Amino acid sequence: MKESYCGLCDQCQLDNPEFLEAVAKVKSFVDQFRIYWWAHCFWGDEGFSLPEFRRGLEWFLSHPECPGCRGGRGLDQCPIRICAINRRCEHCSECPDLAQCPRFRLILQEYPDHKRHLLRLQQQRRQRKPRLGRG
């Protein structure tokens, strides 16, 4: 497991060398063009800010590690983080109440399969756990 309670960091790309290489390549392409060459492409509601896009690429390159919450980073008031700390769980897949947990509402809006992923991890943990034999 990486650095989060909820498991989102399990699939994080920030520490993936191939991801960082791709971001660096995109940034080098973007840096070759002047803003006025692309300005006609970024108008109205369909456009976006090329300087903001560049800043986003620079952010990825300057943060090549996962900023997970278990190490004290992340959102202080995250309900998942607060719950895991109170229950002394290292990861939500350890929690016996995971299937009924209401705290994943926001995550599930963006990642609808995430809870199923955690439940699979939970099942795998149970299967790996050594069972005491009868004596």
Side-chain angles (χ1 to χ4, degrees):
M1 302 297 153
K2 287 192 181 178
E3 299 292 325
S4 68
Y5 295 104
C6 68
L8 279 180
C9 291
D10 296 353
Q11 299 164 26
C12 179
Q13 296 297 311
L14 285 181
D15 57 0
N16 181 329
E18 291 173 6
F19 173 75
L20 294 172
E21 185 178 311
V23 169
K25 190 175 236 180
V26 169
K27 184 177 179 313
S28 75
F29 287 136
V30 169
D31 287 346
Q32 291 175 24
F33 295 98
R34 301 275 184 231
I35 185 72
Y36 61 86
W37 288 358
W38 288 22
H40 68 279
C41 298
F42 304 105
W43 58 276
D45 293 338
E46 293 182 2
F48 63 90
S49 165
L50 191 57
E52 284 295 313
F53 182 66
R54 280 186 176 136
R55 273 209 303 269
L57 295 171
E58 289 166 3
W59 183 91
F60 281 118
L61 294 172
S62 66
H63 294 83
E65 75 285 339
C66 179
C69 62
R70 277 186 28 211
R73 296 163 295 212
L75 301 173
D76 290 337
Q77 296 304 311
C78 172
I80 295 171
R81 178 184 187 182
I82 292 168
C83 177
I85 290 170
N86 289 339
R87 288 176 173 241
R88 296 191 172 122
C89 289
E90 290 291 315
H91 195 272
C92 288
S93 64
E94 298 173 2
C95 181
D97 299 324
L98 174 62
Q100 299 83 23
C101 182
R103 293 173 186 86
F104 282 84
R105 190 179 80 248
L106 288 175
I107 290 175
L108 293 175
Q109 288 176 3
E110 187 72 26
Y111 305 97
D113 295 330
H114 187 66
K115 200 173 208 184
R116 282 191 290 273
H117 168 72
L118 292 176
L119 290 167
R120 279 193 301 274
L121 284 176
Q122 188 176 64
Q123 185 65 31
Q124 290 170 359
R125 284 176 185 262
R126 287 181 184 150
Q127 291 172 351
R128 280 185 284 180
K129 200 177 241 186
R131 295 186 181 149
L132 298 176
R134 294 181 189 191

